[in-house]
Amino acid sequence: MRRVLLVEDNPGDVRLTQRAFKDFPIEWEVVTNGEAALERLFDTTKDWPDLVLLDLNLPRVTGWEVLEQIKRSPITRRIPVVVLTSSKSEMDIARAADRHANNYVIKPATPDAFRTLATDFDAWWFGHNQFPPHVDLVPWDGGDRAAE
Amino acid sequence: MGVWAQPLFLCCIAAAVSALITALGIGLRRRTKGSQRAALTYLTKLTHLTENLTDGFWEWDLTTDFVRFSDSYARTLGYAKLKPGKDLWSDLLHPDDRQEAEEGIQRHLVLGEPYEKVLRMRAADGSYQWHLERAQALLDASGEPCAVIGFHMNITSTKHTEDVLRRTNSDLEQFAYSASHDLQEPLRMIGGWVSALFEDYGDRLQEPDAIEAKQFIVEGVARMHRLIDDLLRFSRAGRNLSCEHFPLIQSVNEAISSLAMLINEADAKIYAEDLPVVYGDQAMVAQVLQNLISNSLKYSSDDRKCRIIITAEERGSVTWIHVTDNGIGIPEEYRARVFEVFTRLYARDRYNGTGIGLALVRRIVHAHGGQATISSGGEGTGTTVSFSLPEPNSASEEATSPEEGERDA
């Protein structure tokens, strides 16, 4: 079981995300605002989730602030945080990287695309960082790595 | 006149104003020794003139360090009169502007740099008024500065308009950002859940009407996404232009290569002859040409192959570029409207599009200080879209439409 903390205020998005991941063994914990997310992560009586899926557009304490808080603390910065947002803006992508997000994922528009993403995502984050299954791996011929 | 009728001051006025007078074409006759009185009358007239021409002036006597203000100057700030005083000018200046103004004056006196500043001065009611200030040192016989004379123009209302404009622009930017994110968000939700609904309950929604309804929703959502994207592009177009001289053919080639597939499909021919070097943002001009060529391809006639001719002519400091096709043309009554956003003349099933193309063309051309026009012999006779690109800093009245003054270039 992988434990994922989903920070998302829109119930429709929560369900779409969970639906896309339904074939994978994920234990969801959902919080609907930034304050609750920080409270949960800084609560020393609870174990950390394996991963945080973070929406940026949250009421009051925004996803940006949550990201910053998590990555500022030397303890919580080890929790992988993946930004999951509808913003395609290059500014936002750069900003997330500056704040040490572990990845930036744009919310897919269709359930099909979302499922593809979930498959890749599971393989990458929980399958010991293997390459996603649909990527053709070229077998290493034992030769010069620099030639890649 | 009272306080003004002092020889030093009058000399100052004469010196400073003479340039003004010459500019007005009045011509100041050289004074002779015998016409002192006539000269004084002249000076009185000039003083009246400056009182009415400018919002006010001041004179700083460097030997006594006293500053005198004209009555007109006092009036623009809401004072009846301002008594001459040593530090009054500095006192009236906004604290944040004081250092800059005083340094400017010193640089003018020592280094001879021209002095022109936009400053805030305190009015009688305590508010601050924006002033455009120019000053000029007057030299005595030995070439040393003996006085400084300054002219003021109250530009508070202009400044205010600028502020409003800047705020409006930043509101627009904010709106564009919201449009791209906040408006797309619920759309994604609608589109996503309709698909999910049909995936999960598709077996119970097999009626043809239900499938058709899904189709309508999905198409509507896709179209709305396109409209929002286009609106965003429209609001951004023409901002932050990076203008340079470049051969127009570069933009033409760029436009053609990005439309290569459509051109091949339509088996269209595009002719471009002797295109000059123009001044503008090369990528933006390519965007204009791409929109025009893609329009010509889209609105081509069914019974003949699409032919597009791109020509240019130089009229003074303005280059006009014409894109002519042999397509379906455009009825006269609609010509004025085609440059408006989201204007479409044909049903979507016949010619697809959001109606942003020509609006975007006009916006980009206006940002360059140019104009865009459309002409056609009528339906079935082809269309010519023309746009102009003026040279930089050319006072090209003919190139700017009077009602819109976007000249960011």
Side-chain angles (χ1 to χ4, degrees):
Chain A
M1 254 324 183
R2 293 96 195 225
R3 284 161 311 143
V4 173
L5 177 68
L6 177 61
V7 190
E8 170 66 70
D9 65 320
N10 185 342
D13 264 323
V14 172
R15 292 282 308 281
L16 270 183
T17 311
Q18 291 176 337
R19 195 175 174 280
F21 279 94
K22 69 170 185 260
D23 293 340
F24 302 98
I26 288 176
E27 191 185 308
W28 294 97
E29 196 179 330
V30 181
V31 289
T32 53
N33 65 67
E35 279 159 322
L38 289 173
E39 236 167 69
R40 162 68 183 82
L41 291 172
F42 285 91
D43 183 346
T44 47
T45 65
K46 285 183 183 159
D47 283 343
W48 282 342
D50 295 318
L51 185 114
V52 176
L53 261 183
L54 179 66
D55 182 28
L56 291 175
N57 192 8
L58 298 170
R60 292 200 294 242
V61 177
T62 65
W64 293 115
E65 288 163 89
V66 174
L67 176 61
E68 225 176 280
Q69 295 265 354
I70 295 173
K71 292 302 180 183
R72 195 188 286 148
S73 151
I75 299 166
T76 52
R77 67 159 37 130
R78 284 181 288 142
I79 310 172
V81 179
V82 175
V83 169
L84 180 65
T85 173
S86 53
S87 163
K88 299 170 203 157
S89 141
E90 278 169 32
M91 217 174 63
D92 284 347
I93 295 172
R95 209 170 148 201
D98 282 349
R99 277 151 215 234
H100 307 288
N102 296 73
N103 203 350
Y104 187 101
V105 177
I106 296 163
K107 285 176 189 169
T110 65
D112 267 349
F114 217 146
R115 260 193 302 275
T116 310
L117 175 89
T119 311
D120 292 354
F121 196 91
D122 184 77
W124 180 258
W125 285 104
F126 305 122
H128 300 289
N129 291 3
Q130 291 166 16
F131 278 98
H134 69 264
V135 173
D136 290 326
L137 284 176
V138 182
W140 184 39
D141 59 8
D144 183 15
R145 280 194 71 102
E148 282 181 11
Chain B
M1 287 306 340
V3 91
W4 297 104
Q6 292 180 18
L8 170 68
F9 191 74
L10 288 177
C11 287
C12 297
I13 298 269
V17 165
S18 62
L20 214 67
I21 301 302
T22 319
L24 287 170
I26 296 169
L28 186 60
R29 235 180 251 162
R30 186 173 287 278
R31 271 176 289 151
T32 59
K33 267 188 180 173
S35 59
Q36 283 288 339
R37 265 188 58 194
L40 271 176
T41 324
Y42 236 141
L43 289 173
T44 317
K45 276 187 194 160
L46 291 180
T47 315
H48 275 296
L49 195 60
T50 45
E51 282 271 347
N52 291 306
L53 272 178
T54 68
D55 279 344
F57 51 92
W58 49 259
E59 184 241 340
W60 176 24
D61 186 341
L62 290 172
T63 51
T64 62
D65 212 20
F66 260 61
V67 182
R68 299 170 205 285
F69 298 91
S70 75
D71 291 351
S72 53
Y73 179 72
R75 275 197 304 276
T76 85
L77 290 176
Y79 304 99
K81 255 187 193 328
L82 280 168
K83 277 191 183 152
K86 271 197 171 166
D87 299 314
L88 191 52
W89 182 71
S90 297
D91 283 348
L92 286 176
L93 271 168
H94 191 282
D96 294 348
D97 295 342
R98 210 169 281 157
Q99 197 189 352
E100 192 194 339
E102 283 169 0
E103 272 176 20
I105 292 276
Q106 288 307 320
R107 293 181 79 84
H108 175 64
L109 286 175
V110 179
L111 305 168
E113 288 177 8
Y115 177 84
E116 181 177 320
K117 301 254 179 247
V118 175
L119 306 162
R120 283 159 291 179
M121 304 296 280
R122 196 177 64 242
D125 60 6
S127 68
Y128 280 92
Q129 303 273 311
W130 283 98
H131 276 190
L132 172 69
E133 181 182 83
R134 293 196 186 93
Q136 178 77 49
L138 297 172
L139 308 180
D140 60 16
S142 61
E144 287 298 309
C146 60
V148 181
I149 183 152
F151 284 84
H152 279 247
M153 212 190 300
N154 195 331
I155 55 166
T156 307
S157 61
T158 322
K159 267 277 179 194
H160 181 70
T161 316
E162 270 175 29
D163 282 350
V164 170
L165 207 61
R166 201 172 302 126
R167 243 184 327 226
T168 311
N169 276 339
S170 92
D171 283 355
L172 261 176
E173 239 161 274
Q174 192 55 47
F175 168 76
Y177 189 82
S178 302
S180 73
H181 299 111
D182 300 1
L183 295 184
Q184 305 259 22
E185 189 72 44
L187 268 182
R188 197 176 44 76
M189 194 69 18
I190 297 168
W193 278 109
V194 168
S195 303
L197 188 68
F198 271 78
E199 272 177 25
D200 298 349
Y201 304 99
D203 48 344
R204 285 186 242 168
L205 292 164
Q206 282 307 313
E207 301 270 324
D209 278 0
I211 292 167
E212 195 190 41
K214 180 205 171 188
Q215 215 46 44
F216 284 144
I217 298 172
V218 169
E219 276 170 20
V221 167
R223 195 172 152 66
M224 190 71 166
H225 273 301
R226 268 204 309 280
L227 282 169
I228 293 173
D229 280 342
D230 279 353
L231 199 60
L232 186 67
R233 272 200 305 147
F234 179 74
S235 73
R236 280 185 187 155
R239 255 197 264 143
N240 307 323
L241 294 180
S242 62
C243 290
E244 54 178 352
H245 282 101
F246 66 93
L248 184 60
I249 191 75
Q250 263 180 25
S251 291
V252 173
N253 286 335
E254 213 170 281
I256 290 175
S257 64
S258 51
L259 293 169
M261 224 163 70
L262 283 174
I263 294 170
N264 278 340
E265 261 170 39
D267 196 12
K269 287 262 184 305
I270 300 172
Y271 306 93
E273 277 171 18
D274 291 339
L275 296 180
V277 169
V278 293
Y279 183 79
D281 185 310
Q282 199 252 325
M284 285 288 170
V285 174
Q287 170 84 65
V288 167
L289 287 163
Q290 186 185 326
N291 283 12
L292 296 182
I293 295 170
S294 102
N295 267 358
S296 293
L297 293 171
K298 195 194 288 179
Y299 301 104
S300 60
S301 175
D302 288 337
D303 47 287
R304 54 183 180 263
K305 285 200 172 139
C306 177
R307 295 284 174 270
I308 302 167
I309 303 166
I310 302 169
T311 55
E313 57 171 320
E314 284 166 80
R315 289 187 207 154
S317 59
V318 178
T319 308
W320 277 89
I321 297 130
H322 311 283
V323 179
T324 305
D325 64 36
N326 59 347
I328 57 172
I330 176 166
E332 191 175 353
E333 60 265 40
Y334 298 118
R335 257 168 245 166
R337 280 182 44 209
V338 291
F339 286 109
E340 288 165 19
V341 189
F342 298 145
T343 297
R344 307 178 61 260
L345 302 184
Y346 300 95
R348 273 205 294 284
D349 53 2
R350 177 99 174 79
Y351 297 104
N352 201 1
T354 55
I356 200 89
L358 283 177
L360 206 60
V361 163
R362 186 173 72 163
R363 194 168 160 90
I364 294 172
V365 169
H366 277 179
H368 280 84
Q371 251 187 332
T373 63
I374 192 162
S375 58
S376 165
E379 286 197 270
T381 57
T383 310
T384 298
V385 179
S386 309
F387 64 96
S388 63
L389 293 172
E391 280 295 297
N393 303 323
S394 59
S396 46
E397 285 86 15
E398 49 174 336
T400 319
S401 59
E403 74 271 23
E404 271 164 87
E406 305 164 66
R407 303 198 60 187
D408 304 337

